[in-house]
Coordinates of all heavy atoms in Angstrom, one line a residue:
M1 N 69.3 -17.3 13.3 CA 68.0 -16.8 13.4 C 67.2 -17.3 12.2 O 67.8 -17.3 11.1 CB 68.0 -15.3 13.4 CG 66.6 -14.7 13.5 SD 66.7 -12.9 13.8 CE 67.6 -12.8 15.3
K2 N 66.0 -17.8 12.4 CA 65.3 -18.5 11.3 C 63.8 -18.2 11.3 O 63.2 -18.1 12.4 CB 65.5 -20.0 11.5 CG 65.0 -20.8 10.4 CD 65.4 -22.3 10.5 CE 64.9 -23.0 9.3 NZ 65.4 -24.4 9.3
Y3 N 63.3 -18.0 10.1 CA 61.8 -17.9 9.9 C 61.5 -18.8 8.7 O 62.0 -18.5 7.6 CB 61.4 -16.5 9.6 CG 59.9 -16.4 9.2 CD1 58.9 -16.6 10.2 CD2 59.5 -16.1 7.9 CE1 57.6 -16.5 9.9 CE2 58.2 -16.1 7.6 CZ 57.2 -16.3 8.6 OH 55.9 -16.2 8.2
G4 N 60.7 -19.8 8.9 CA 60.4 -20.7 7.8 C 61.7 -21.4 7.3 O 62.5 -21.9 8.1
N5 N 62.0 -21.2 6.0 CA 63.2 -21.8 5.5 C 64.3 -20.8 5.2 O 65.3 -21.0 4.6 CB 62.9 -22.6 4.1 CG 62.4 -21.6 3.1 OD1 62.1 -20.5 3.3 ND2 62.2 -22.2 1.9
I6 N 64.1 -19.6 5.8 CA 65.1 -18.5 5.7 C 65.9 -18.4 7.0 O 65.4 -18.3 8.1 CB 64.4 -17.1 5.4 CG1 63.6 -17.2 4.1 CG2 65.4 -16.0 5.4 CD1 62.7 -15.9 3.9
T7 N 67.2 -18.4 6.8 CA 68.1 -18.3 8.0 C 69.1 -17.1 7.8 O 69.6 -16.9 6.7 CB 69.0 -19.6 8.1 OG1 68.1 -20.7 8.2 CG2 69.9 -19.6 9.3
L8 N 69.3 -16.4 8.9 CA 70.2 -15.3 8.9 C 71.3 -15.6 9.9 O 71.0 -16.0 11.0 CB 69.6 -14.0 9.3 CG 68.5 -13.4 8.3 CD1 68.0 -12.0 8.9 CD2 69.1 -13.1 7.0
D9 N 72.5 -15.3 9.5 CA 73.7 -15.5 10.4 C 74.2 -14.1 10.7 O 73.9 -13.1 10.1 CB 74.8 -16.3 9.7 CG 74.3 -17.7 9.4 OD1 73.6 -18.3 10.3 OD2 74.7 -18.2 8.3
S10 N 75.1 -14.0 11.7 CA 75.8 -12.8 12.1 C 74.8 -11.7 12.5 O 74.9 -10.5 12.1 CB 76.7 -12.3 11.0 OG 77.6 -13.3 10.7
V11 N 73.8 -12.0 13.3 CA 72.8 -11.0 13.8 C 73.2 -10.6 15.2 O 73.4 -11.5 16.0 CB 71.4 -11.6 13.7 CG1 70.4 -10.6 14.3 CG2 71.0 -11.9 12.3
G12 N 73.3 -9.4 15.5 CA 73.6 -8.9 16.8 C 72.4 -9.1 17.7 O 71.3 -8.8 17.3
V13 N 72.6 -9.6 18.9 CA 71.6 -9.9 19.8 C 71.8 -9.1 21.1 O 72.9 -9.1 21.6 CB 71.5 -11.4 20.1 CG1 70.5 -11.8 21.2 CG2 71.3 -12.3 18.9
Q14 N 70.7 -8.5 21.6 CA 70.9 -7.7 22.8 C 69.7 -7.8 23.7 O 68.5 -7.7 23.2 CB 71.3 -6.2 22.5 CG 70.2 -5.5 21.8 CD 70.6 -4.1 21.4 OE1 70.1 -3.5 20.5 NE2 71.6 -3.5 22.1
G15 N 69.9 -8.0 25.0 CA 68.8 -7.9 25.9 C 68.6 -6.5 26.3 O 69.6 -5.7 26.5
V16 N 67.3 -6.0 26.3 CA 67.0 -4.6 26.5 C 65.9 -4.5 27.6 O 65.2 -5.4 27.9 CB 66.6 -3.9 25.2 CG1 67.7 -3.9 24.2 CG2 65.3 -4.5 24.7
T17 N 65.8 -3.2 28.0 CA 64.6 -2.9 28.9 C 63.8 -1.8 28.1 O 64.3 -1.3 27.1 CB 65.1 -2.3 30.2 OG1 65.7 -1.0 29.9 CG2 66.0 -3.2 31.0
P18 N 62.6 -1.6 28.5 CA 61.8 -0.6 27.8 C 62.5 0.8 27.7 O 62.3 1.5 26.7 CB 60.5 -0.5 28.7 CG 60.4 -1.8 29.3 CD 61.8 -2.2 29.6
N19 N 63.3 1.2 28.7 CA 64.0 2.5 28.7 C 65.1 2.5 27.7 O 65.6 3.6 27.3 CB 64.6 2.8 30.1 CG 63.5 3.0 31.1 OD1 62.4 3.5 30.7 ND2 63.7 2.7 32.3
T20 N 65.6 1.4 27.1 CA 66.7 1.4 26.2 C 66.3 2.2 25.0 O 67.2 2.9 24.4 CB 67.0 0.0 25.7 OG1 67.3 -0.8 26.9 CG2 68.1 -0.1 24.7
L21 N 65.1 2.2 24.5 CA 64.6 3.0 23.4 C 64.9 4.5 23.6 O 65.3 5.2 22.7 CB 63.1 2.8 23.1 CG 62.6 3.4 21.8 CD1 63.3 2.8 20.6 CD2 61.1 3.2 21.8
L22 N 64.7 5.0 24.8 CA 65.0 6.4 25.2 C 66.4 6.8 25.1 O 66.7 8.0 24.9 CB 64.4 6.7 26.6 CG 63.0 6.4 26.8 CD1 62.7 6.6 28.3 CD2 62.1 7.3 26.0
L23 N 67.3 5.8 25.2 CA 68.7 6.1 25.2 C 69.4 5.8 23.9 O 70.7 5.9 23.8 CB 69.4 5.2 26.3 CG 68.8 5.4 27.7 CD1 69.4 4.4 28.7 CD2 69.1 6.8 28.2
S24 N 68.7 5.5 22.9 CA 69.3 5.1 21.6 C 68.7 6.0 20.5 O 67.7 6.7 20.7 CB 69.0 3.6 21.3 OG 67.7 3.4 21.0
S25 N 69.2 5.8 19.3 CA 68.7 6.5 18.1 C 67.7 5.7 17.4 O 67.2 6.1 16.3 CB 69.8 6.9 17.2 OG 70.5 5.7 16.8
V26 N 67.3 4.5 17.9 CA 66.4 3.6 17.3 C 64.9 4.2 17.4 O 64.5 4.7 18.4 CB 66.4 2.2 17.9 CG1 65.3 1.3 17.4 CG2 67.8 1.6 17.7
E27 N 64.2 4.1 16.3 CA 62.8 4.5 16.2 C 62.0 3.3 15.7 O 62.4 2.6 14.9 CB 62.6 5.7 15.3 CG 63.3 7.0 15.8 CD 63.1 8.1 14.8 OE1 61.9 8.3 14.4 OE2 64.1 8.8 14.5
V28 N 60.8 3.3 16.2 CA 59.9 2.2 15.8 C 59.3 2.5 14.4 O 58.7 3.6 14.2 CB 58.7 2.0 16.8 CG1 57.7 1.0 16.3 CG2 59.3 1.6 18.2
D29 N 59.3 1.6 13.5 CA 58.7 1.7 12.2 C 57.4 1.0 12.1 O 56.4 1.4 11.5 CB 59.7 1.2 11.1 CG 59.2 1.5 9.7 OD1 58.6 2.6 9.4 OD2 59.3 0.6 8.8
Q30 N 57.4 -0.3 12.6 CA 56.2 -1.1 12.6 C 56.0 -1.7 14.0 O 57.0 -2.0 14.7 CB 56.4 -2.3 11.6 CG 56.5 -1.9 10.2 CD 56.8 -3.1 9.3 OE1 57.9 -3.5 9.2 NE2 55.7 -3.8 8.9
G31 N 54.8 -1.9 14.4 CA 54.5 -2.5 15.7 C 54.9 -1.6 16.8 O 54.6 -0.4 16.8
R32 N 55.6 -2.2 17.8 CA 55.9 -1.4 19.0 C 57.2 -2.0 19.6 O 57.8 -3.0 19.1 CB 54.8 -1.6 20.1 CG 54.7 -3.0 20.6 CD 53.7 -3.1 21.7 NE 53.5 -4.5 22.1 CZ 54.3 -5.2 23.0 NH1 55.3 -4.6 23.5 NH2 54.0 -6.4 23.4
Y33 N 57.8 -1.2 20.5 CA 59.0 -1.6 21.2 C 58.6 -2.4 22.4 O 57.5 -2.5 22.8 CB 59.8 -0.4 21.6 CG 61.2 -0.6 22.0 CD1 62.1 -1.1 21.0 CD2 61.7 -0.5 23.3 CE1 63.4 -1.3 21.4 CE2 63.0 -0.8 23.7 CZ 63.9 -1.2 22.7 OH 65.2 -1.5 23.0
I34 N 59.6 -3.0 23.0 CA 59.4 -3.8 24.2 C 58.9 -2.9 25.4 O 59.4 -1.8 25.6 CB 60.8 -4.5 24.6 CG1 61.1 -5.6 23.5 CG2 60.7 -5.1 26.0 CD1 62.5 -6.0 23.4
N35 N 57.9 -3.4 26.1 CA 57.3 -2.6 27.2 C 57.6 -3.2 28.5 O 58.2 -4.3 28.6 CB 55.9 -2.3 26.9 CG 55.0 -3.5 26.9 OD1 55.3 -4.5 27.5 ND2 53.9 -3.5 26.1
D36 N 57.1 -2.6 29.6 CA 57.3 -3.1 31.0 C 56.7 -4.4 31.2 O 57.3 -5.3 31.8 CB 56.7 -2.1 32.0 CG 57.5 -0.8 32.1 OD1 58.8 -0.9 32.0 OD2 56.9 0.2 32.4
Y37 N 55.5 -4.7 30.6 CA 54.9 -6.0 30.7 C 55.7 -7.1 30.1 O 55.9 -8.1 30.7 CB 53.5 -6.0 30.1 CG 52.8 -7.3 30.2 CD1 52.3 -7.8 31.4 CD2 52.7 -8.1 29.0 CE1 51.6 -9.0 31.5 CE2 52.1 -9.4 29.1 CZ 51.5 -9.8 30.3 OH 50.9 -11.0 30.4
D38 N 56.3 -6.8 28.9 CA 57.2 -7.8 28.3 C 58.3 -8.1 29.2 O 58.7 -9.3 29.4 CB 57.7 -7.3 26.9 CG 56.6 -7.0 25.9 OD1 55.6 -7.7 25.9 OD2 56.8 -6.0 25.1
N39 N 58.9 -7.1 29.7 CA 60.1 -7.2 30.5 C 59.8 -7.9 31.8 O 60.5 -8.8 32.2 CB 60.7 -5.8 30.8 CG 62.1 -5.8 31.3 OD1 63.0 -6.4 30.7 ND2 62.3 -5.2 32.5
D40 N 58.8 -7.4 32.5 CA 58.5 -8.0 33.9 C 58.0 -9.5 33.8 O 58.3 -10.3 34.7 CB 57.4 -7.2 34.5 CG 57.8 -5.8 34.9 OD1 59.0 -5.5 34.9 OD2 56.9 -4.9 35.1
S41 N 57.4 -9.8 32.7 CA 56.8 -11.2 32.5 C 57.8 -12.1 31.7 O 57.5 -13.2 31.5 CB 55.6 -11.1 31.7 OG 54.6 -10.4 32.3
H42 N 59.0 -11.5 31.3 CA 60.0 -12.3 30.6 C 59.4 -12.9 29.4 O 59.7 -14.1 29.1 CB 60.7 -13.3 31.5 CG 61.4 -12.7 32.7 ND1 62.5 -12.0 32.6 CD2 61.0 -12.7 34.0 CE1 62.8 -11.6 33.8 NE2 61.9 -11.9 34.7
R43 N 58.6 -12.2 28.7 CA 57.9 -12.7 27.5 C 58.9 -12.9 26.4 O 59.9 -12.2 26.2 CB 56.9 -11.7 27.0 CG 55.7 -11.5 28.0 CD 54.6 -10.6 27.5 NE 54.0 -11.2 26.3 CZ 53.6 -10.6 25.3 NH1 53.7 -9.3 25.2 NH2 53.0 -11.2 24.2
D44 N 58.7 -13.9 25.6 CA 59.5 -14.3 24.4 C 59.1 -13.5 23.2 O 58.4 -14.0 22.3 CB 59.5 -15.8 24.2 CG 60.1 -16.6 25.3 OD1 61.0 -16.1 25.9 OD2 59.6 -17.7 25.5
V45 N 59.5 -12.2 23.2 CA 59.1 -11.3 22.2 C 60.4 -10.7 21.6 O 61.4 -10.7 22.3 CB 58.2 -10.2 22.6 CG1 56.8 -10.8 23.0 CG2 58.7 -9.4 23.7
A46 N 60.3 -10.2 20.4 CA 61.5 -9.6 19.7 C 61.2 -8.3 19.0 O 60.1 -8.2 18.4 CB 62.0 -10.7 18.7
F47 N 62.1 -7.4 19.0 CA 62.1 -6.2 18.3 C 63.3 -6.3 17.3 O 64.4 -6.4 17.7 CB 62.3 -5.0 19.2 CG 62.2 -3.7 18.5 CD1 61.0 -3.1 18.2 CD2 63.3 -3.0 18.1 CE1 60.9 -1.9 17.5 CE2 63.3 -1.8 17.5 CZ 62.0 -1.2 17.2
L48 N 63.0 -6.2 16.0 CA 64.0 -6.5 15.0 C 64.5 -5.2 14.4 O 63.7 -4.3 14.2 CB 63.4 -7.3 13.9 CG 62.8 -8.7 14.3 CD1 62.3 -9.4 13.0 CD2 63.8 -9.5 15.0
G49 N 65.8 -5.2 14.0 CA 66.3 -4.2 13.2 C 65.8 -4.3 11.8 O 65.3 -5.4 11.4
S50 N 65.8 -3.2 11.0 CA 65.1 -3.3 9.7 C 65.8 -4.3 8.8 O 65.1 -4.9 8.0 CB 65.1 -1.9 9.1 OG 66.4 -1.4 8.9
E51 N 67.1 -4.4 8.8 CA 67.8 -5.3 8.0 C 67.4 -6.8 8.3 O 67.3 -7.6 7.4 CB 69.3 -5.1 8.0 CG 69.7 -3.8 7.3 CD 71.2 -3.7 7.3 OE1 71.9 -4.6 6.8 OE2 71.7 -2.6 7.6
V52 N 67.3 -7.1 9.6 CA 66.9 -8.4 10.0 C 65.5 -8.7 9.5 O 65.2 -9.7 8.9 CB 67.0 -8.6 11.5 CG1 66.4 -9.9 11.9 CG2 68.4 -8.5 11.9
A53 N 64.6 -7.7 9.7 CA 63.2 -7.9 9.2 C 63.1 -8.1 7.7 O 62.4 -8.9 7.2 CB 62.4 -6.7 9.6
D54 N 63.9 -7.2 7.0 CA 63.9 -7.4 5.5 C 64.5 -8.7 5.0 O 64.0 -9.3 4.1 CB 64.7 -6.2 4.9 CG 64.1 -4.9 5.0 OD1 62.9 -4.8 5.3 OD2 64.8 -3.9 4.8
G55 N 65.5 -9.2 5.8 CA 66.1 -10.5 5.4 C 65.2 -11.7 5.7 O 65.1 -12.6 4.9
L56 N 64.5 -11.7 6.8 CA 63.6 -12.8 7.2 C 62.3 -12.7 6.5 O 61.6 -13.7 6.3 CB 63.5 -12.9 8.7 CG 64.7 -13.3 9.5 CD1 64.3 -13.2 11.0 CD2 65.1 -14.7 9.1
F57 N 61.8 -11.5 6.3 CA 60.4 -11.3 5.8 C 60.4 -10.4 4.6 O 59.9 -9.3 4.7 CB 59.6 -10.7 6.9 CG 59.6 -11.4 8.2 CD1 60.5 -11.1 9.2 CD2 58.7 -12.5 8.4 CE1 60.5 -11.8 10.4 CE2 58.7 -13.2 9.6 CZ 59.6 -12.9 10.6
P58 N 61.0 -10.9 3.5 CA 61.1 -10.0 2.3 C 59.8 -9.4 1.8 O 59.7 -8.3 1.2 CB 61.8 -10.8 1.3 CG 61.7 -12.2 1.8 CD 61.5 -12.2 3.2
Q59 N 58.7 -10.1 1.8 CA 57.4 -9.7 1.3 C 56.3 -9.8 2.3 O 55.1 -9.8 1.9 CB 57.1 -10.5 0.0 CG 58.1 -10.5 -1.1 CD 58.1 -9.1 -1.7 OE1 57.1 -8.5 -1.9 NE2 59.3 -8.7 -2.1
V60 N 56.6 -9.9 3.6 CA 55.6 -10.2 4.6 C 55.8 -9.2 5.8 O 56.9 -8.9 6.1 CB 55.8 -11.7 5.1 CG1 54.7 -12.0 6.2 CG2 55.7 -12.7 4.0
D61 N 54.6 -8.8 6.4 CA 54.7 -8.0 7.6 C 55.2 -8.9 8.7 O 54.5 -9.9 9.0 CB 53.3 -7.5 7.9 CG 53.2 -6.7 9.2 OD1 54.3 -6.4 9.8 OD2 52.1 -6.2 9.5
P62 N 56.3 -8.6 9.4 CA 56.9 -9.5 10.4 C 56.1 -9.5 11.7 O 56.3 -10.4 12.5 CB 58.3 -9.0 10.5 CG 58.3 -7.6 10.1 CD 57.2 -7.5 9.0
V63 N 55.4 -8.4 12.0 CA 54.8 -8.3 13.3 C 53.8 -9.4 13.5 O 52.9 -9.7 12.7 CB 54.1 -6.9 13.5 CG1 53.4 -6.8 14.8 CG2 55.1 -5.8 13.4
G64 N 53.9 -10.1 14.7 CA 53.1 -11.2 15.0 C 53.6 -12.6 14.5 O 53.1 -13.6 14.9
K65 N 54.7 -12.6 13.8 CA 55.3 -13.8 13.3 C 56.3 -14.4 14.3 O 56.8 -13.6 15.1 CB 56.0 -13.6 11.9 CG 55.1 -13.0 10.9 CD 54.1 -14.0 10.4 CE 53.4 -13.5 9.1 NZ 52.6 -12.3 9.3
D66 N 56.5 -15.7 14.3 CA 57.4 -16.3 15.2 C 58.7 -16.6 14.5 O 58.7 -17.1 13.4 CB 56.8 -17.6 15.8 CG 55.7 -17.4 16.7 OD1 55.6 -16.3 17.3 OD2 54.9 -18.3 16.9
I67 N 59.8 -16.3 15.2 CA 61.2 -16.6 14.7 C 61.9 -17.5 15.7 O 61.5 -17.6 16.8 CB 62.0 -15.3 14.4 CG1 62.2 -14.5 15.7 CG2 61.4 -14.5 13.3 CD1 63.1 -13.3 15.6
K68 N 62.8 -18.3 15.2 CA 63.6 -19.2 16.0 C 65.0 -18.7 16.1 O 65.6 -18.3 15.1 CB 63.5 -20.6 15.5 CG 62.3 -21.3 15.7 CD 62.4 -22.8 15.3 CE 63.0 -23.6 16.4 NZ 63.0 -25.0 16.2
I69 N 65.6 -18.8 17.3 CA 67.0 -18.7 17.6 C 67.4 -19.9 18.4 O 67.0 -20.1 19.5 CB 67.3 -17.4 18.3 CG1 67.0 -16.2 17.5 CG2 68.8 -17.4 18.7 CD1 67.3 -14.9 18.1
G70 N 68.1 -20.8 17.7 CA 68.3 -22.1 18.3 C 67.0 -22.8 18.6 O 66.1 -22.8 17.8
P71 N 66.8 -23.3 19.8 CA 65.6 -24.0 20.2 C 64.5 -23.0 20.6 O 63.3 -23.4 20.8 CB 65.9 -24.9 21.3 CG 67.1 -24.2 22.0 CD 67.8 -23.5 20.9
D72 N 64.8 -21.7 20.8 CA 63.9 -20.7 21.4 C 63.1 -20.1 20.3 O 63.6 -19.7 19.2 CB 64.6 -19.7 22.2 CG 65.4 -20.3 23.3 OD1 64.9 -21.2 24.0 OD2 66.5 -19.9 23.6
V73 N 61.8 -19.8 20.6 CA 60.9 -19.1 19.7 C 60.5 -17.8 20.2 O 60.1 -17.7 21.4 CB 59.6 -20.0 19.4 CG1 58.6 -19.3 18.5 CG2 60.0 -21.4 18.8
Y74 N 60.5 -16.8 19.4 CA 60.2 -15.4 19.8 C 59.1 -14.8 18.8 O 59.2 -15.1 17.6 CB 61.4 -14.5 19.8 CG 62.5 -14.9 20.8 CD1 63.4 -15.8 20.4 CD2 62.5 -14.3 22.0 CE1 64.4 -16.2 21.4 CE2 63.5 -14.6 22.9 CZ 64.4 -15.6 22.6 OH 65.4 -15.9 23.5
T75 N 58.2 -14.1 19.4 CA 57.2 -13.4 18.5 C 57.6 -12.0 18.3 O 58.0 -11.3 19.2 CB 55.8 -13.4 19.3 OG1 55.4 -14.8 19.5 CG2 54.8 -12.7 18.4
V76 N 57.6 -11.6 17.0 CA 58.1 -10.3 16.6 C 57.0 -9.3 17.0 O 55.8 -9.5 16.6 CB 58.3 -10.2 15.1 CG1 58.7 -8.8 14.7 CG2 59.4 -11.2 14.7
I77 N 57.3 -8.3 17.8 CA 56.4 -7.3 18.2 C 56.6 -5.9 17.5 O 55.8 -5.0 17.5 CB 56.3 -7.1 19.7 CG1 57.7 -6.7 20.2 CG2 55.8 -8.3 20.4 CD1 57.7 -6.2 21.6
G78 N 57.8 -5.8 16.9 CA 58.1 -4.5 16.3 C 59.4 -4.5 15.4 O 60.2 -5.5 15.5
V79 N 59.5 -3.5 14.6 CA 60.6 -3.4 13.7 C 61.1 -1.9 13.7 O 60.3 -1.0 13.7 CB 60.2 -3.7 12.2 CG1 61.4 -3.5 11.3 CG2 59.7 -5.1 12.1
A80 N 62.4 -1.8 13.7 CA 63.0 -0.4 13.8 C 63.0 0.2 12.4 O 63.1 -0.5 11.4 CB 64.5 -0.6 14.3
K81 N 63.0 1.5 12.4 CA 63.2 2.3 11.2 C 64.6 2.1 10.7 O 65.6 1.8 11.5 CB 63.0 3.8 11.4 CG 61.6 4.2 11.5 CD 61.5 5.7 11.6 CE 60.0 6.1 11.7 NZ 59.8 7.5 11.8
K82 N 64.8 2.2 9.4 CA 66.2 2.0 8.9 C 67.1 3.1 9.4 O 66.7 4.3 9.5 CB 66.1 2.1 7.3 CG 65.5 0.9 6.7 CD 65.7 0.9 5.2 CE 65.0 -0.2 4.5 NZ 65.2 -1.5 5.0
L83 N 68.3 2.8 9.7 CA 69.3 3.7 10.1 C 70.5 3.6 9.1 O 70.6 2.6 8.5 CB 69.9 3.4 11.5 CG 68.9 3.5 12.7 CD1 69.6 3.0 13.9 CD2 68.5 5.0 12.9
G84 N 71.3 4.6 9.0 CA 72.4 4.5 8.1 C 73.5 3.7 8.8 O 73.3 2.9 9.7
S85 N 74.7 3.9 8.3 CA 75.8 3.1 8.8 C 76.8 4.1 9.5 O 76.8 5.3 9.3 CB 76.6 2.4 7.7 OG 77.1 3.3 6.8
V86 N 77.6 3.6 10.4 CA 78.6 4.4 11.2 C 79.9 3.7 10.9 O 80.1 2.6 11.2 CB 78.3 4.4 12.7 CG1 79.4 5.1 13.4 CG2 77.0 5.0 13.0
L87 N 80.8 4.5 10.2 CA 82.1 4.0 9.9 C 82.0 2.6 9.1 O 82.8 1.7 9.4 CB 83.0 3.8 11.1 CG 83.2 5.1 11.9 CD1 84.0 4.9 13.2 CD2 84.0 6.2 11.1
G88 N 81.1 2.5 8.2 CA 80.9 1.3 7.4 C 80.2 0.2 8.1 O 79.9 -0.9 7.5
S89 N 79.8 0.3 9.4 CA 79.1 -0.7 10.1 C 77.6 -0.4 10.1 O 77.2 0.6 10.5 CB 79.7 -0.8 11.6 OG 78.9 -1.7 12.3
R90 N 76.9 -1.4 9.6 CA 75.4 -1.2 9.6 C 74.9 -1.3 11.0 O 75.4 -2.1 11.8 CB 74.8 -2.3 8.7 CG 75.2 -2.1 7.3 CD 74.7 -3.2 6.4 NE 75.2 -4.5 6.9 CZ 75.0 -5.7 6.4 NH1 74.3 -5.8 5.3 NH2 75.5 -6.8 6.9
R91 N 73.9 -0.5 11.3 CA 73.4 -0.4 12.7 C 72.0 -1.0 12.9 O 71.4 -0.9 14.0 CB 73.3 1.1 13.1 CG 74.6 1.8 13.0 CD 74.6 3.1 13.6 NE 73.6 4.0 13.0 CZ 73.2 5.1 13.5 NH1 73.9 5.6 14.5 NH2 72.3 5.8 12.9
T92 N 71.5 -1.7 11.9 CA 70.1 -2.2 12.0 C 70.1 -3.8 11.9 O 69.1 -4.4 11.6 CB 69.2 -1.6 11.0 OG1 69.7 -1.8 9.7 CG2 68.9 -0.2 11.3
I93 N 71.3 -4.4 12.1 CA 71.3 -5.8 12.1 C 71.2 -6.2 13.6 O 72.3 -6.5 14.2 CB 72.6 -6.4 11.5 CG1 72.7 -5.9 10.0 CG2 72.6 -7.9 11.5 CD1 73.9 -6.3 9.3
L94 N 70.0 -6.2 14.1 CA 69.9 -6.5 15.6 C 68.6 -7.2 15.9 O 67.6 -7.2 15.1 CB 70.0 -5.2 16.4 CG 69.0 -4.2 16.2 CD1 67.9 -4.3 17.3 CD2 69.6 -2.8 16.2
F95 N 68.6 -7.9 17.0 CA 67.5 -8.6 17.5 C 67.5 -8.2 19.0 O 68.5 -8.5 19.7 CB 67.7 -10.1 17.3 CG 66.9 -11.0 18.2 CD1 65.6 -11.2 17.9 CD2 67.4 -11.5 19.4 CE1 64.8 -12.1 18.7 CE2 66.7 -12.3 20.2 CZ 65.4 -12.6 19.9
S96 N 66.4 -7.6 19.5 CA 66.4 -7.2 20.9 C 65.2 -8.0 21.6 O 64.2 -8.2 21.0 CB 66.1 -5.7 21.0 OG 67.1 -5.0 20.4
F97 N 65.5 -8.3 22.8 CA 64.5 -9.1 23.6 C 64.5 -8.6 25.0 O 65.6 -8.0 25.5 CB 64.7 -10.6 23.5 CG 66.0 -11.0 24.1 CD1 66.2 -11.5 25.3 CD2 67.2 -10.9 23.3 CE1 67.4 -11.8 25.9 CE2 68.4 -11.3 23.8 CZ 68.5 -11.8 25.1
P98 N 63.5 -8.8 25.8 CA 63.5 -8.3 27.2 C 64.6 -9.1 28.0 O 64.8 -10.3 27.8 CB 62.1 -8.7 27.8 CG 61.3 -8.9 26.6 CD 62.2 -9.4 25.5
C99 N 65.3 -8.3 28.9 CA 66.3 -9.0 29.7 C 65.8 -9.3 31.1 O 64.7 -8.9 31.5 CB 67.6 -8.3 29.7 SG 67.5 -6.5 30.0

């Protein structure tokens, strides 16, 4: 995953639907979550975990910025609130997109 000259490795990637937010402990901190229009239109948008957002955008608001994963470009529409860890595993290293 890349923004400008910053690259992150080992980022969890998951395809989601708008209802996924209702079934998880993730909360929106900035922007918004993936909605029905994003999903139905297969838009290239991304909802980032807080650690991913902090890593790629240390001093910049990520909403509206484009990130690359391989050859694909996604526009950041939202960022999750920070979550703690579960059994030592961080839970906010994620990238979600409409499936």
